Amino acid sequence: MRFRDVYKNNLFMLKFVWKYYKIYIITSILISFSSILTPLADVLGPKYIIDFISQKKPFTWIVTVVILIFSIEILKSIYYSWYYKFITPRAHNKIKGGINNLLMQKAASLDLECYENADFYDKYTRALKEADIRALSVVSSTRDFLLSLVYALTLFGVIVTLDPILLLISVVSMLLSSLFGLISGKCQFKYERLLTPFEKHLNYIKRVFYEVQYSKEIRIFPISKLLFKKYDNNIDKIDSVLKTRGKKLTLLNILGDTVEFIMTIGVTMLYLAWKIYNGVLTLGDFMALYIASRQFSSRLQVFFNSFTQFYEHSLYITNLKEVLDYESKIENSSNSLEILEEKITDISVDNVSFSYSEREVLHNITIKASKGEKIAIVGHNGAGKTTLIKLIIRLYDVNKGEILINNKDIKKLSVKHLRSKIGLVFQDYQLYSASIAENVLLREVKTPEDEDKVWFALKQVGLYEKVKELPNGIHTLITKEFSNEGIFLSGGEAQKLALARIYIKDYDIVILDEPSSSLDPLAEKQMYENMMDITKNKIAIFITHRLSTTVMADRIYLIDNGRVIEQGTHKELMELNGKYRRMFDAQAQFYREQAEDGLAVL
Ligand code: ADP
């Protein structure tokens, strides 16, 4: 990494901090300049006291020096206390908030393929882990850099006036120590990179033990043993990296310190003692020079170490910038700009093929739907049904063929606008730690009309009565994570709540992926009837495993191994006597057997 990049990266971070909390930068610079007072108090103060004593000056002179030192220290203490105890923690909070917010927004706009790319995911994890701390460290390094510079310059003045040769010794000592600092910094970063994948794994396992969705299974199944084992394995792997790193860093540290002590204690002390011995220096001069030279090299060391730190920050900032600069290929592609003003009346998946990485999972799929039509997509697990939906809403782009909406290629349409016209419930829908209303609207409740919309949607999915009885109604929180008054929903109720989302807006297309997997038969029947009702003038696409529901569809597509192998109405497919019929008969047979078994038991 070149010096220019180091400079640019650190400046990038400083500008960032400036944006969120200007006062932190200003007070940090001020603290640097206030450091000019320290050498005066620490070095010249004792020198004058010793000199005045040996020169038998009036005691009031000594008292004056003491009062001066005292005043400087008190002023410094007031300023430092305010800076470190009041400003710094608030700066930490604001900068942490700002940078993490930015990273979360970035995460929300990443293409889904980023989550499948372990390298990018590692970069993102590292950015999230380090970014806020680095932002603060860049400021503190800049502060230390300026502080030690001002401090060292003041000491430089003192030493040059009293003994220039000492200056040379101090500079050589500092250069040697900085060299060791630089090597240590590089070593630290190299090993940090090796640790990331293991730490990511540890965080995952910790999450499993505190997130509520895992709580039942980890109590019942022996999975926790496996996870503990994996946890320990990762701790061991981290330990072996730390061991190798530790050996190198310890050695570097000892070598660095030894060289520094040889120079500062050995060479400097002998040199000054020799000068007093020969009567060239006064006792006061010795005192001042010894303190000044030690402080000078340690300050210069801090000064040059800040270059090492800037270099180290720069490596992390490059990582952060790579994440922040990532542009979603789908959302930001220059041709996805057109806003579709009219309602969606036709959708056509035309000869589409798609592969996630190498393996093609959809092959030459062609599916059509027009306004008012209900389309069912059926097929075995892993056939490619959900993938097809992901392509329609552009979570991924097709590799071959095209998807047309009102005869326009969806790649040309604004992604945000397109998605806003589609009501969708995934099979693995999520509920959030927010109120019932917010979980349905998926945004803030802003107006009384919003509340009406939520009540209407809850009525459609059969949750109205239950929510009505809750003291906080639609404002009740889901889960008890943040409030004891929160509620837990059963699997079926949770699915109903997710389904309520399609009733809050007049969508042009409604897509449901396995919408009734957790519903009881009555609720399922009700759900499909309501859905047929609200989608009269829309396009409805539903993926289902319950073949009894496909009877209501205008057209059924049977997907097998990524290909459409049969299509038509229920009647047509039954007459075709192919795979659909076999699947349907098998399900019907299963229900019959279940019923007969039930009767036999009775
Ligand atoms: P269905 O919805 O029909 O059960 P999917 O569309 O979810 O099937 O999956 C189709 C195939 O694509 C499966 O073999 C699955 O393993 C694979 N697949 C799904 N998601 C991903 C992914 N993110 N990365 C790689 N392969 C995936």
Side-chain angles (χ1 to χ4, degrees):
M1 186 173 295
R2 286 170 307 153
F3 178 76
R4 217 168 135 250
D5 296 326
V6 174
Y7 166 76
K8 272 167 78 178
N9 279 344
N10 282 280
L11 195 65
F12 163 86
M13 209 47 148
L14 282 176
K15 281 187 187 158
F16 188 86
V17 175
W18 178 255
K19 191 169 138 205
Y20 284 95
Y21 204 47
K22 295 185 178 49
I23 193 149
Y24 187 48
I25 302 264
I26 298 168
T27 47
S28 301
I29 292 175
L30 281 179
I31 218 165
S32 312
F33 287 100
S34 73
S35 66
I36 199 163
L37 300 171
T38 315
L40 298 180
D42 286 358
V43 178
L44 294 183
K47 169 188 155 48
Y48 284 115
I49 291 176
I50 293 176
D51 281 350
F52 290 164
I53 293 171
S54 34
Q55 290 159 15
K56 304 247 181 312
K57 298 282 185 212
F59 194 69
T60 46
W61 288 33
I62 293 165
V63 173
T64 314
V65 175
V66 171
I67 289 175
L68 270 174
I69 298 175
F70 174 80
S71 314
I72 289 174
E73 291 300 336
I74 278 286
L75 282 177
K76 253 180 58 194
S77 159
I78 293 171
Y79 186 67
Y80 277 42
S81 307
W82 178 68
Y83 175 81
Y84 284 109
K85 304 289 175 204
F86 185 75
I87 294 292
T88 307
R90 293 180 62 211
H92 197 158
N93 184 41
K94 291 208 176 199
I95 293 160
K96 188 167 129 189
I99 209 154
N100 285 335
N101 197 309
L102 207 67
L103 279 167
M104 286 189 288
Q105 282 185 32
K106 186 44 91 178
S109 72
L110 293 177
D111 289 330
L112 271 196
E113 64 179 30
C114 293
Y115 290 87
E116 289 141 25
N117 176 340
D119 279 349
F120 187 86
Y121 205 57
D122 277 356
K123 268 188 197 153
Y124 184 74
T125 322
R126 248 197 324 270
L128 210 57
K129 184 177 144 213
E130 279 281 329
D132 49 348
I133 301 166
R134 285 289 150 186
L136 290 164
S137 309
V138 170
V139 180
S140 55
S141 298
T142 313
R143 180 194 62 214
D144 293 345
F145 169 82
L146 287 173
L147 196 135
S148 47
L149 181 69
V150 174
Y151 201 118
L153 282 177
T154 321
L155 289 168
F156 175 86
V158 174
I159 300 175
V160 152
T161 356
L162 296 174
D163 192 322
I165 294 179
L166 197 60
L167 196 70
L168 191 73
I169 300 173
S170 307
V171 169
V172 173
S173 130
M174 167 282 306
L175 283 177
L176 288 171
S177 316
S178 299
L179 185 70
F180 283 101
L182 193 73
I183 303 172
S184 294
K186 270 192 163 174
C187 176
Q188 184 102 10
F189 183 75
K190 184 179 135 204
Y191 284 97
E192 203 72 34
R193 280 182 102 105
L194 296 178
L195 293 174
T196 312
F198 306 130
E199 283 173 351
K200 207 170 78 185
H201 213 130
L202 290 185
N203 282 336
Y204 164 73
I205 296 171
K206 270 198 291 191
R207 218 170 55 226
V208 169
F209 284 93
Y210 72 68
E211 281 190 0
V212 71
Q213 70 257 39
Y214 301 104
S215 58
K216 291 194 286 298
E217 293 203 359
I218 57 172
R219 275 157 185 77
I220 300 165
F221 305 122
I223 183 75
S224 51
K225 267 202 188 120
L226 175 75
L227 292 173
F228 287 145
K229 190 149 187 247
K230 280 180 187 276
Y231 194 89
D232 290 343
N233 281 345
N234 277 286
I235 290 280
D236 290 345
K237 283 179 191 156
I238 290 179
D239 188 55
S240 84
V241 175
L242 290 180
K243 228 155 92 186
T244 325
R245 185 183 79 170
K247 277 182 200 155
K248 291 190 181 171
L249 286 181
T250 311
L251 200 68
L252 280 170
N253 228 32
I254 295 174
L255 277 175
D257 282 354
T258 313
V259 170
E260 192 198 330
F261 294 148
I262 289 175
M263 293 304 293
T264 55
I265 302 177
V267 180
T268 310
M269 213 181 243
L270 282 179
Y271 171 74
L272 289 176
W274 179 78
K275 285 192 108 176
I276 299 190
Y277 197 71
N278 289 301
V280 187
L281 287 181
T282 66
L283 263 182
D285 288 343
F286 170 80
M287 177 85 186
L289 275 172
Y290 185 65
I291 298 176
S293 76
R294 286 214 66 176
Q295 287 198 356
F296 180 66
S297 38
S298 78
R299 283 298 142 174
L300 272 192
Q301 197 183 334
V302 175
F303 175 74
F304 282 95
N305 273 351
S306 17
F307 287 105
T308 318
Q309 285 175 9
F310 285 133
Y311 174 80
E312 216 181 287
H313 299 328
S314 179
L315 295 171
Y316 286 97
I317 297 166
T318 307
N319 180 77
L320 171 71
K321 277 165 104 182
E322 274 171 25
V323 174
L324 291 180
D325 287 347
Y326 177 89
E327 294 267 313
S328 155
K329 287 185 214 115
I330 293 181
E331 289 192 29
N332 297 325
S333 77
S334 55
N335 51 7
S336 333
L337 295 171
E338 194 180 330
I339 302 272
L340 190 71
E341 298 294 351
E342 72 271 18
K343 271 191 165 296
I344 298 176
T345 51
D346 290 287
I347 173 162
S348 156
V349 176
D350 202 3
N351 214 8
V352 160
S353 300
F354 175 76
S355 34
Y356 280 106
S357 35
E358 262 107 71
R359 197 169 65 90
E360 194 170 271
V361 293
L362 291 179
H363 325 278
N364 305 94
I365 297 267
T366 296
I367 284 177
K368 289 189 192 320
S370 299
K371 188 174 149 186
E373 284 188 324
K374 323 278 171 252
I375 303 298
I377 298 178
V378 298
H380 291 303
N381 294 332
K385 305 178 295 296
T386 304
T387 305
L388 179 65
I389 303 300
K390 289 186 198 162
L391 294 179
I392 293 176
I393 51 165
R394 286 197 76 202
L395 286 176
Y396 297 90
D397 271 339
V398 301
N399 299 133
K400 211 185 97 205
E402 53 187 4
I403 299 178
L404 303 167
I405 279 197
N406 293 3
N407 271 327
K408 283 181 185 145
D409 188 338
I410 55 167
K411 285 188 183 165
K412 300 217 166 78
L413 300 176
S414 145
V415 185
K416 273 207 178 92
H417 189 71
L418 171 72
R419 289 181 188 158
S420 72
K421 286 173 169 273
I422 301 177
L424 168 72
V425 181
F426 278 116
Q427 187 176 11
D428 53 353
Y429 62 85
Q430 299 294 329
L431 296 186
Y432 300 90
S433 264
S435 71
I436 291 179
E438 287 162 338
N439 265 289
V440 175
L441 290 168
L442 292 176
R443 60 169 170 79
E444 245 181 294
V445 185
K446 290 180 190 149
T447 58
E449 288 80 64
D450 281 346
E451 298 197 357
D452 295 343
K453 277 184 200 163
V454 174
W455 283 118
F456 169 77
L458 293 177
K459 226 176 236 161
Q460 301 307 309
V461 293
L463 279 180
Y464 181 86
E465 301 301 332
K466 168 153 185 138
V467 178
K468 195 93 197 139
E469 277 168 21
L470 299 170
N472 293 323
I474 55 170
H475 302 293
T476 309
L477 288 182
I478 304 276
T479 81
K480 291 187 181 289
E481 196 168 344
F482 301 112
S483 157
N484 284 336
E485 286 172 17
I487 51 158
F488 278 115
L489 296 177
S490 74
E493 287 167 338
Q495 191 161 41
K496 285 178 182 174
L497 195 68
L499 279 166
R501 292 168 181 165
I502 60 165
Y503 294 96
I504 51 138
K505 200 172 149 190
D506 186 18
Y507 292 111
D508 297 350
I509 306 182
V510 171
I511 302 178
L512 303 177
D513 188 352
E514 270 297 305
S516 58
S517 54
S518 309
L519 301 187
D520 59 61
L522 269 181
E524 182 181 22
K525 184 167 171 287
Q526 184 71 42
M527 191 278 292
Y528 275 105
E529 278 173 8
N530 282 353
M531 202 187 82
M532 294 301 149
D533 200 33
I534 66 139
T535 55
K536 260 192 203 122
N537 291 315
K538 303 168 193 270
I539 297 170
I541 301 175
F542 55 98
I543 295 177
T544 181
H545 283 299
R546 309 241 179 136
L547 295 188
S548 55
T549 56
T550 52
V551 179
M552 319 180 205
D554 296 304
R555 202 159 43 259
I556 301 161
Y557 290 92
L558 172 60
I559 299 188
D560 193 42
N561 252 328
R563 290 177 208 282
V564 174
I565 56 163
E566 289 174 23
Q567 58 179 294
T569 59
H570 172 73
K571 194 159 167 278
E572 285 164 354
L573 293 187
M574 290 302 278
E575 279 166 7
L576 189 69
N577 213 0
K579 189 155 189 169
Y580 177 84
R581 172 147 203 166
R582 283 201 297 282
M583 284 166 71
F584 189 88
D585 287 346
Q587 269 194 14
Q589 174 71 16
F590 174 75
Y591 282 125
R592 264 199 303 276
E593 280 171 13
Q594 294 282 310
E596 279 160 16
D597 284 355
L599 282 177
V601 172
L602 287 173

